[in-house]
Structure formats: C-alpha cells, structure tokens
Amino acid sequence: MDYLYSETGQRLAAQHHYRPAETQRVPEAERQALPAIELFTIDKVFGGWRIVQPAHFDDGGIFDRLLESVAGKK
C-alpha cells in the first residue's frame, strides 16, 4: 500500500488515466493531462453510506435490479 501512495505509484496511476489521490506527488505537467472535475461526497449527495448501502448494494437493491435487467436482455 505504501508504494501505491508513493510518488512513483501516484505518477503511474496518473499515466494510466487514474486520478492520483496524492496530487502533490505528481508533477503539474502530468496532472494537466487529467481534466478538472468537480468532486462530491456520498454524504452530501446521497445522505451517507447508511442510506446508500441498503438501497443500492444490499440483496435486492438497485445494483441487483440493474444486473437482472441486463441479464434478462441476453
């Protein structure tokens, strides 16, 4: 895990189009290849993980229903 957050690990992430968690470890020139995005939190947008987990990911939640709809079309 330490390697993933090292300068080398973060630069590799950015080079493969993943947004680095430790942006200060990636040179500005390399960060410019990643477009600016507006970030959000689960708490602000969805009311927190206590609400999100059962609604989206528990058995029968939205994720299961999406998979069922895709599987039914094959």
Side-chain angles (χ1 to χ4, degrees):
M1 291 300 289
D2 289 338
Y3 179 77
L4 292 176
Y5 292 95
S6 70
E7 180 177 339
T8 303
Q10 292 294 286
R11 288 183 75 183
L12 281 170
Q15 289 167 9
H16 291 278
H17 310 287
Y18 289 96
R19 195 162 301 275
E22 303 284 336
T23 56
Q24 73 277 9
R25 296 182 182 228
V26 178
E28 178 66 28
E30 293 176 29
R31 286 194 315 242
Q32 288 179 357
L34 299 170
I37 60 170
E38 184 178 336
L39 299 176
F40 62 88
T41 67
I42 298 299
D43 289 338
K44 279 188 177 180
V45 176
F46 299 102
W49 281 107
R50 283 190 196 156
I51 295 170
V52 171
Q53 180 64 41
H56 294 266
F57 301 109
D58 280 1
D59 288 343
I62 292 171
F63 185 76
D64 283 352
R65 293 193 306 265
L66 287 170
L67 286 179
E68 289 168 2
S69 71
V70 171
K73 292 181 181 180
K74 288 184 178 182

